[in-house]
C-alpha cells in the first residue's frame, strides 16, 4: 500500500484506488466475513483500510453521522497501524444490550442506555 491516504470523508460511492488511515467508520460485515474479521478489527486501534464497498447509508440504518457505509468483504485489505497513538484516541462508546435492539428496529432514534 502507498503512504498516501484519503480522509475517511473523501471516500464515497464510486471512489476507486483508495486507502484510508483511521479509527471510526460505519461498516457492515455479512456471513462468513464476520468470522473472518472477528479477531482483526479491535476497538481503539487504527487501521489502513482499502477496497471496501462504499454505498450511501439509508437513514433508517445510520448508526452515526455520515453519508456512507462500508461493506467489508474478503476483498477488503486491512492492516493494523503499529503506532503509539493511544494519547490521541479519545473515543466514547455507548453499548446497548442486544435484547433491547428490537424496539429500535423501525425508528431512527439514537440508541443509548
Amino acid at each position: 500500500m502507498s503512504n498516501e491516504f484519503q480522509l475517511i470523508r473523501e471516500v464515497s460511492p464510486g471512489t476507486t484506488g483508495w486507502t484510508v488511515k483511521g479509527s471510526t467508520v460505519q461498516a457492515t460485515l455479512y456471513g462468513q466475513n464476520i468470522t473472518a474479521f472477528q479477531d482483526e478489527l479491535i476497538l481503539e486501534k487504527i487501521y489502513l483500510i482499502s477496497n471496501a464497498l462504499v454505498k450511501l447509508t439509508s437513514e433508517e440504518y445510520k448508526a452515526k453521522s455520515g453519508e456512507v457505509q462500508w461493506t467489508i468483504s474478503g476483498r477488503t485489505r486491512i492492516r493494523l497501524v503499529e503506532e503509539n497513538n493511544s494519547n490521541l484516541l479519545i473515543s466514547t462508546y455507548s453499548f446497548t444490550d442486544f435484547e433491547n435492539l428490537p424496539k429500535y428496529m423501525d425508528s431512527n432514534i439514537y440508541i443509548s442506555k
Side-chain angles (χ1 to χ4, degrees):
M1 287 185 207
S2 74
N3 288 329
E4 293 188 26
F5 312 108
Q6 285 71 39
L7 297 174
I8 291 171
R9 69 173 185 252
E10 295 174 336
V11 177
S12 61
T15 304
T16 60
W18 57 269
T19 298
V20 297
K21 177 180 177 183
S23 60
T24 305
V25 297
Q26 179 174 333
T28 303
L29 290 91
Y30 297 99
Q32 64 189 21
N33 291 316
I34 296 169
T35 305
F37 287 99
Q38 72 183 2
D39 295 326
E40 191 164 347
L41 297 170
I42 302 166
L43 288 174
E44 299 184 3
K45 299 291 183 177
I46 296 175
Y47 298 92
L48 298 179
I49 301 176
S50 58
N51 206 29
L53 173 65
V54 181
K55 60 184 176 181
L56 293 176
T57 305
S58 172
E59 279 295 322
E60 61 189 327
Y61 299 117
K62 275 189 182 181
K64 60 182 274 321
S65 62
E67 298 299 318
V68 297
Q69 169 182 319
W70 298 0
T71 299
I72 296 174
S73 70
R75 300 174 71 187
T76 305
R77 300 293 162 245
I78 299 174
R79 188 172 69 189
L80 178 65
V81 175
E82 298 292 342
E83 296 177 353
N84 186 3
N85 291 330
S86 58
N87 59 335
L88 299 176
L89 294 175
I90 302 171
S91 301
T92 303
Y93 301 99
S94 177
F95 297 100
T96 298
D97 292 328
F98 187 76
E99 61 266 10
N100 292 332
L101 291 178
K103 65 183 174 185
Y104 298 104
M105 287 175 58
D106 293 322
S107 68
N108 195 18
I109 297 172
Y110 177 74
I111 300 173
S112 181
K113 285 187 175 182

